């Protein structure tokens, strides 16, 4: 499968790793949208949150994200986002959690109609 995050997991593409464990890895986003912008991904290929069935892996991803935030010293607060599907703005089809922090983050909600 031609998946860039699978290639990062396999060490076939370079990435700035910040954390890894048996089931997840975390690396810096190549186009950061905040002073800290880290992606937490499962080692196994899961297309998106829609396809995540394993509660142990779900927990590992959440705990990894929180550990990244602590390691990055985001004591003032941080945000976790997982874009899911076309309307959710997902571009890379391998489940990933965005950890954003290091600045006061603006609201990131769709604009209201009417
Ligand atoms: P999403 O829109 O949620 O699918 O976001 C995909 C994210 O992956 C974007 O923020 C990209 O900048 C990031 N990205 C794409 N390719 C790489 C890469 N090779 N290394 C690190 N981040 C990447």
């Amino acid at each position: 499968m031609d998946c860039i995050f699978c290639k990062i997991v396999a060490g076939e593409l370079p990435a700035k790793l910040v954390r890894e464990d048996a089931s997840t890895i975390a690396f810096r986003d190549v186009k950061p949208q905040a002073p800290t912008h880290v992606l937490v991904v499962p080692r196994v290929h899961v297309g998106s949150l829609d396809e995540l069935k394993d509660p142990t892996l779900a927990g590992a991803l959440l705990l990894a994200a929180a550990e990244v935030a602590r390691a990055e010293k985001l004591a003032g607060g941080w945000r976790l986002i997982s874009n899911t599907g076309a309307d959710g703005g997902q571009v890379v089809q391998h489940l990933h959690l965005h950890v954003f922090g290091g600045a006061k983050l603006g609201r990131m909600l769709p604009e209201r109609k009417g």
Side-chain angles (χ1 to χ4, degrees):
M1 183 187 301
D2 198 26
C3 168
I4 52 172
F5 289 177
C6 282
K7 287 182 177 164
I8 289 174
V9 168
E12 293 166 6
L13 270 182
K16 292 181 182 166
L17 286 191
V18 298
R19 186 188 183 279
E20 55 184 328
D21 60 32
S23 59
T24 74
I25 69 165
F27 51 91
R28 298 199 188 279
D29 195 291
V30 77
K31 286 187 190 162
Q33 295 173 54
T36 292
H37 185 176
V38 173
L39 302 174
V40 181
V41 314
R43 286 185 184 274
V44 295
H45 185 85
V46 177
S48 76
L49 269 185
D50 249 354
E51 295 174 24
L52 182 61
K53 305 278 188 260
D54 178 350
T56 303
L57 181 55
L61 287 162
L62 277 180
L63 292 174
E67 207 168 279
V68 165
R70 278 193 294 277
E72 295 285 316
K73 307 205 183 311
L74 305 179
W78 51 286
R79 182 173 294 160
L80 193 62
I81 284 180
S82 190
N83 298 323
T84 304
D87 282 0
Q90 184 177 4
V91 173
V92 176
Q93 310 304 319
H94 181 130
L95 170 59
H96 50 283
L97 306 181
H98 294 258
V99 177
F100 294 110
K104 181 93 177 160
L105 301 171
R107 304 281 294 172
M108 292 170 73
L109 294 170
E111 287 185 18
R112 287 186 188 197
K113 293 183 182 130

